Amino acid sequence: MMALLQWAPRYSVHIPEIDVEHQALFGVLNDLWAATERGSDKQAIVAAIHRVSETMRNHLRHEESLLEQWGYPRFNEHVLEHQKLLLQLDTLVASAVSNDKREMEINELDFISNWLCAHIENSDKDYARFVAEKEGGGEIAKSSPSWRQRIAASVTLSRSVMAALILITMAVDIIVVGLLSYGLNATRNLQEREIRATVESTALLLDHNISESVSKIDLVLHEVEDWLEHGHSVNGRIEAREANKFLDNRKSWLSGLANFRVTDEHGTILYSSGTSSPESTSISDRDHFIVHRENKRSGLFVSNPILTRIGHEWGISLSRRYNNPDGSFAGIISATIPIDYFNNLLSAANLGPNGVALLRDGDTGLITRYPASLSPSQQIGTKVFSDELGQAIASGDRARSFHTQHTGDGIERLNAYRRLSAAPFHLVVGMGTDDYLARWRSDVAKAVVIVAAFLLLSAGSVWLLWRLFGLTKKANNSAQLVREIAKSKQQLSEAHRIARLGFIELNTISGIYSLGEGTQDMLGIDPTLKSGSEEDVFSNVTSDDRAQLVGLLSGKSGSCFDLELRIGVRTLHVLGEVNSEPTAPAMIVMTLQDITDRIIAEQERAAMIERIAESDRMEALGTLAGGIAHEINTPTQYVTDNIAFMNDGISSLLDLAESVKAVKSMEGDLVGVKKNLDSLDLDFLKAELPAAAAQAQDGTLRISKIVQAIKEFSYPSSKLPHPIDLNHLIDVVATVTRNQWKYVADLEFDLDPDLPKISAIEGEINQVLVNLLVNATHAIAELGSSSLGRIEVKTQSLGDGVELTVRDSGAGIEPENLKQIFELFFTTKAPGQGTGQGLAITKAIIHRHGGQITAESEPGSGACFRIRLPLEIPAASFEDAV
């Protein structure tokens, strides 16, 4: 058993770098030991073996390079030891990967630790003594380095310089790109700050202009209010001509900014500036009139956009209330500012081609927008706006800036928002991102071109240097390549010997076959023969196989082939590959493996499956026997009862007939006949005797059908494939298994009446059907339901084959078990209730018939088994059984 390795002083060779690598090897070997000991799965053990192989390979490669530099006299023998170990390791790795067992045997791994410990204490200690002696005599220091050492040092130095150069170049590239990105980002941030300041200043200026206009109008409204109230208190009334002249004068003070109107207490316009109003024009339904009429302290009221009744244009009304001398409501004074006035103010802002300025009323309805938009969502009164503007309005802030990507016109902008100081309006001023970032984006494009050129130049410089280094490295490794080729051939020959493989190399130009060690024994030829002609090498191969091989060898060009060669009772598997390198001679390399034992094992396995299948069929028949007996007993019972009834009835009728006969022969009297007749219930016998006979006949037919089904199931007509009716076999198996399913499930059939016959072995298909029906019954029984389940059996034609489906309403199959249900001896049933052979045998039988079987299931939703069979069994199916 592989022991757990412990590092000890006796394993030290007193060369620090070698000792460190030896300790690392001890560690990975201990990991492999632990994985094997605790019975880890195959994947974990294979991974551990790979780590051992990789660590060992790296160490031996490093050790060989040091020995070559030191000029160790037994260098070749030491390397040979390494190569033998590596070949064994490769074989072990290949065995672990292909092994179907869940874990490897520990004794298969012993040789690694044994070899390592022995190698360190013998071979490694030997070169350690050599190094110590040379260092003590000063020979290493005094001797000049060999040409191999100078090349190795040169390559190592070049590799280090190249790595440093690449790292420096990458660092410079990253720094340049980073600095440029930082500068461009800083420039964009600065540009956005400047634009933000611009739109905020513009919004502030527009706020000031609009608010100043509102304040002037409000001042005039105050004056008109005082003038009206004074006139009413002194004169009682004011002449219209005087009032209109007064309002015209005040309009001129404001340079025609607004039109003034004065109403009475009923909302009828009495006086107006400019064009006189039509008679009886009333605004009593306007919101601003109603507010002033209902509220003595209403003050200045600014309306939302309204369509004026005089002039019919959109405007904003600023209004105040005036009172009678007694303080009662006398009417309102209003000043209407045209919407065009606000539009002119907004158009004065220089916001660029994609800029926008807009004004919204206190209810967020649109008052005006510059530039104007034809979109219905951008008309007076509409309340469609971006989420960012909605958040700014809801925040209650007096001023705020924000960025919008999704706008009504699809233009991305940086916006400034203001809540006007003198009116309940919302002002938004925005500049298009494409406008203010146009120059910055141009700078970015130029920077990208410059950086791309710089990166291309630096990458090209590094590539040229790397190319130069590669050419130097190739020149330095030419001699090493020759040695590696020879070593590879030696390793290949050793690998074939260890793995018990044969090796043949054909030179297609000369027609000479070269044989590897041990190949002669596999071919049954002279063991001293190292090379020869086709006749010499393949003299013992059967003529058919030899002709096939020669045909493949003469027709191959740059591809692979494989075939089997029979030599007496032995069979060899041959893999061939053509070496079509232009600089190498045309070679065909063939690897031979003796697969005689494997074929025998497969034949034995097939025979075992046959025996298991036959045993399973007989076991199934034995299991069904009790149910079949019960199925026969039931009709037998009512046949017996009906015959007894018929016997009694017939006896009474015969007695009556005898008495009638006696009267006819004058040997009896009518009294006796009448007595016999009165004792009989003729109507009853007339109805029941035929029914009893029919029931007895039906019972005998049922018994006959069961017996025939048992006969067909137990003694199939042939053990060789022949045309069979699958629907008929289903009927036979349903009859044989009836006592299994009739108390558990209803069996439903959907059989294709035009189903073609298939070529199959009747007994094996019977066994498949029994396994599927019994399994479906058990799956439904597992639910423990008081009601009957359902089993559906369906057949259908597929043109070149048939499909059989068996679906149940049972417990279903867990997903993790669905992949394993066809494995031999796998079962989900409780111990003693299942052997795990039924579905494995079913799959083997279906495959023997050239078909396929699949399973579908979800836990709790039942399962469905689907079988597809060809109409004719492929010729190779029974040769490749199971």
Side-chain angles (χ1 to χ4, degrees), residues 737-751:
T737 61
R738 187 172 186 275
N739 199 62
Q740 292 278 322
W741 51 261
K742 71 176 181 178
Y743 301 112
V744 177
D746 290 326
L747 187 57
E748 301 174 3
F749 298 100
D750 181 10
L751 306 181

Side-chain angles (χ1 to χ4, degrees), residues 620-659:
L621 186 60
T623 302
L624 298 174
I628 293 171
H630 179 74
E631 287 297 307
I632 293 176
N633 184 62
T634 300
T636 301
Q637 184 67 43
Y638 70 72
V639 167
T640 302
D641 293 342
N642 281 316
I643 291 175
F645 169 73
M646 291 167 59
N647 184 52
D648 292 341
I650 291 172
S651 296
S652 299
L653 290 174
L654 289 175
D655 289 342
L656 176 61
E658 286 293 333
S659 63

Side-chain angles (χ1 to χ4, degrees), residues 505-518:
E505 192 175 71
L506 169 62
N507 187 319
T508 58
I509 297 175
S510 65
I512 299 299
Y513 294 83
S514 300
L515 282 68
E517 183 180 352

